Amino acid sequence: MSILDYFRKSKDKTRTKIVSARNFASAKYDNLFYGWRGTDLSADRELQNNLQTMRNRVRQVCNDDVYARKFLSMVKTNVIGPDGIILQSKAKREDGSFDTNDIRLIESAWKRWGSESKHCSTDKRLNWRDIQRIVVETLARDGEVFIRMVRDRNNPFAFSLFVMEGDWFDIKRNMELKNNRVIRMSIEQNSFGEPLAYYQLTSPPQNGSSNYIGKAERVPADEIIHVYLMERPGQSRGIPWMNTALRGLEMLHQYHESELIASRIGSSSMGFFTSPDAQGYTGTDKDADGNLIQEFQPGTFQQLPDGVEFTPFTPTHPTNAFPTFVKSILRSISSGLGVSYNAISNDLESVNFSSIRAGVMEERVVWQTIQNFMIEHFCKPVFKNWLRMAISTGELQLPMQKISKFEEVSWVPRGWSYVDPLKEINAHKVAVDMGVESLSEIASNKGKDLAEIFEAIKREKDLAESIGITLPSENNETTEKIVVEED
């Protein structure tokens, strides 16, 4: 072998070692990760195999587990709140000023439709706020919810909503169609994944795990609102929000039940009689299976027969590690649900003002994100379709040719009270004075309408003047005093 060949081979070996060293540790198959192959399935393929099981298990946990019920309650309370997501019309004239007459007409008609369950839902049971709550609860529990917009001629607006769980759209309905169209889990799509139609069961689903595909009608996509969080590109159906926390919730539920039973047993004084030859013990009675039993009364002592010993049974449950263990599991569950441990557990014994404020502020961002999602993917499509039907039926007497003007609206979700009122109000005042925040934004963050606030203030002033009461001055003396005192 020549010197040149020797160095050439040495160089190839070095290159091989360098390439091997570049392998990712997470992709290696060693003793710790030998059986972990991961998944290379598409989002839809994974859901076809697992969605029904996940959904069934989550529903069972929501029926029985206190923390799952608490999570659903938190979602409804923080996303929708007591008043729901409120519509505000922003119709403007050509000069850019607000058209107060059109605003009044739109908001009044929307309120008439939304406040009447006989107009709002096809089953005549739900008004607009009720529908918002059931939509967000179904979304959190099942990972998706379907709303069919029905042109109902039996009400003045000819528009009603039919809220459906995912079982109405069979995940087993999958087939290839002509012209590059496919049906994926009852959703007909083109080659780009755009929904063209939905195959809704003709009768209410009774058993989501049935082995047959029920009869379905093809509903055009413009009549269906499918609300779900898309986590992967090309994902056609929603994933239950409790999926990552599901195993922890169920195991903790069973552990709680086991500890409760053990504690109940431990609170009772029990034991066993033993004797070497099984003689000398007659008992006071026999049970249904013929076993000897002995009854004791509180505060009494009895002498045992010769050769009989008493072995007490004294279980020590719950142990001292019980609270720490439950907290550890609940912290993991709360991370999977996207909420704080203190909120899901109602445990405030180890928090201070700073820590609870940081947790509350971070959690509110999560709720605001879901609120914006609900507005964009549910409230807006419902309003736009309602607006066209309301104008078509004459319930809203506005010209159809100006529909784009009337579609200009804003939505005000529920807000929250101040965590530290004095500091936050002063911070808002500074932001307004600097011109980086508006009064409308402040009111919206608290779930209020600035126009309604001004109208209420005006009514109060007019009332005070009519009965001769002087209200605080409109100047900034009071506000400046608060700032000084806080400093």
Side-chain angles (χ1 to χ4, degrees):
M1 179 185 298
S2 66
I3 297 297
L4 183 61
D5 292 337
Y6 173 81
F7 280 108
R8 184 180 295 115
K9 288 187 176 182
S10 299
K11 186 176 180 180
D12 292 340
K13 291 180 179 179
T14 303
R15 183 182 297 111
T16 302
K17 291 182 179 179
I18 293 174
V19 172
S20 299
R22 289 177 178 172
N23 289 340
F24 291 99
S26 59
K28 292 181 178 179
Y29 289 100
D30 52 21
N31 293 335
L32 295 177
F33 300 109
Y34 178 75
W36 186 14
R37 301 193 60 86
T39 176
D40 58 357
L41 299 178
S42 66
D44 280 354
R45 186 61 178 171
E46 287 186 344
L47 288 174
Q48 289 175 25
N49 297 336
N50 302 301
L51 178 57
Q52 191 65 58
T53 302
M54 284 192 297
R55 197 160 57 196
N56 293 344
R57 289 178 176 177
V58 169
R59 288 174 179 174
Q60 183 63 45
V61 167
C62 290
N63 288 340
D64 299 333
D65 187 73
V66 292
Y67 297 114
R69 296 298 302 174
K70 172 68 174 180
F71 173 69
L72 294 182
S73 177
M74 290 172 63
V75 171
K76 289 187 293 183
T77 301
N78 288 281
V79 176
I80 305 302
D83 301 320
I85 302 175
I86 301 172
L87 175 138
Q88 292 180 349
S89 175
K90 300 295 181 182
K92 295 182 179 179
R93 302 184 181 92
E94 294 182 358
D95 60 1
S97 61
F98 287 107
D99 193 329
T100 56
N101 183 59
D102 289 351
I103 289 175
R104 179 181 56 81
L105 290 174
I106 293 171
E107 292 183 352
S108 176
W110 175 260
K111 186 175 181 180
R112 290 200 314 273
W113 174 79
S115 61
E116 293 287 345
S117 57
K118 62 182 179 180
H119 297 158
C120 200
S121 64
T122 54
D123 59 8
K124 316 299 181 185
R125 299 176 182 177
L126 306 171
N127 59 28
W128 174 237
R129 285 194 301 271
D130 297 332
I131 288 179
Q132 291 181 62
R133 293 189 185 102
I134 199 170
V135 164
V136 78
E137 180 175 5
T138 307
L139 177 63
R141 185 185 62 247
D142 295 351
E144 63 181 355
V145 60
F146 294 82
I147 303 95
R148 183 170 180 176
M149 296 172 288
V150 180
R151 274 60 177 176
D152 185 2
R153 294 294 177 180
N154 293 324
N155 74 63
F157 295 90
F159 185 84
S160 297
L161 301 178
F162 180 25
V163 183
M164 295 173 285
E165 295 180 331
D167 306 278
W168 280 89
F169 302 87
D170 204 325
I171 62 174
K172 296 181 291 295
R173 190 180 302 277
N174 300 279
M175 62 185 69
E176 302 291 331
L177 303 176
K178 298 179 180 179
N179 301 324
N180 294 323
R181 293 179 296 119
V182 296
I183 297 177
R184 292 287 180 265
M185 292 178 284
S186 291
I187 303 176
E188 184 179 329
Q189 309 172 26
N190 61 18
S191 57
F192 293 101
E194 177 189 359
L196 304 176
Y198 294 82
Y199 287 81
Q200 177 188 334
L201 295 179
T202 55
S203 58
Q206 300 298 326
N207 186 359
S209 59
S210 58
N211 295 320
Y212 66 92
I213 300 177
K215 294 182 179 179
E217 62 172 316
R218 184 181 184 275
V219 182
D222 59 3
E223 296 182 17
I224 296 287
I225 301 175
H226 183 196
V227 185
Y228 71 103
L229 292 171
M230 182 180 291
E231 300 182 13
R232 292 179 59 183
Q235 178 183 325
S236 300
R237 302 290 293 265
I239 302 173
W241 291 6
M242 298 185 194
N243 171 50
T244 53
L246 183 60
R247 291 175 65 90
L249 282 168
E250 178 61 16
M251 294 299 287
L252 183 60
H253 175 75
Q254 294 183 16
Y255 175 66
H256 266 154
E257 185 176 5
S258 299
E259 285 288 348
L260 183 61
I261 294 172
S263 300
R264 182 179 178 184
I265 293 173
S267 65
S268 305
S269 296
M270 297 185 298
F272 306 93
F273 290 116
T274 62
S275 61
D277 55 0
Q279 299 294 326
Y281 173 63
T282 59
T284 57
D285 201 353
K286 293 183 179 181
D287 62 15
D289 296 324
N291 299 315
L292 296 172
I293 60 175
Q294 179 74 41
E295 295 182 355
F296 291 94
Q297 297 295 329
T300 62
F301 297 89
Q302 296 190 16
Q303 182 176 355
L304 298 178
D306 294 337
V308 177
E309 295 181 356
F310 178 76
T311 303
F313 175 64
T314 56
T316 57
H317 287 272
T319 64
N320 294 332
F322 175 77
T324 304
F325 178 76
V326 170
K327 284 184 178 181
S328 177
I329 301 301
L330 265 179
R331 286 191 175 98
S332 174
I333 290 172
S334 63
S335 297
L337 297 177
V339 298
S340 67
Y341 160 77
N342 303 103
I344 196 71
S345 65
N346 291 323
D347 181 9
L348 301 176
E349 65 177 1
S350 59
V351 301
N352 54 40
F353 180 81
S354 298
S355 63
I356 194 65
R357 184 179 188 276
V360 167
M361 298 305 293
E362 181 179 357
E363 192 172 290
R364 284 181 181 178
V365 176
V366 176
W367 301 130
Q368 289 171 340
T369 303
I370 301 175
Q371 287 176 340
N372 292 335
F373 176 84
M374 285 286 293
I375 290 170
E376 193 67 31
H377 296 275
F378 173 57
C379 296
K380 284 185 177 180
V382 168
F383 173 73
K384 288 184 177 181
N385 284 273
W386 169 88
L387 182 63
R388 283 164 173 75
M389 294 304 298
I391 294 176
S392 300
T393 59
E395 280 296 310
L396 183 57
Q397 297 184 358
L398 294 173
M400 185 67 76
Q401 58 269 27
K402 293 185 178 181
I403 190 71
S404 59
K405 168 188 174 181
F406 310 134
E407 288 179 346
E408 292 296 324
V409 299
S410 64
W411 298 88
V412 181
R414 72 145 290 180
W416 292 271
S417 59
Y418 297 115
V419 178
D420 190 346
L422 186 60
K423 292 182 179 179
E424 293 183 37
I425 289 174
N426 283 325
H428 285 312
K429 178 183 182 301
V430 173
V432 171
D433 292 341
M434 293 177 62
V436 296
E437 189 174 28
S438 67
L439 295 176
S440 297
E441 290 175 319
I442 298 173
S444 179
N445 289 334
K446 291 184 64 63
K448 298 181 179 180
D449 180 7
L450 185 63
E452 293 181 356
I453 294 175
F454 285 164
E455 290 175 359
I457 293 174
K458 184 178 184 303
R459 287 195 301 269
E460 290 176 356
K461 290 181 177 179
D462 294 341
L463 177 60
E465 291 177 0
S466 66
I467 57 179
I469 295 177
T470 303
L471 294 176
S473 174
E474 295 184 29
N475 57 34
N476 295 329
E477 292 179 1
T478 303
T479 306
E480 291 172 359
K481 182 178 180 182
I482 294 175
V483 175
V484 172
E485 289 180 350
E486 197 249 339
D487 292 336

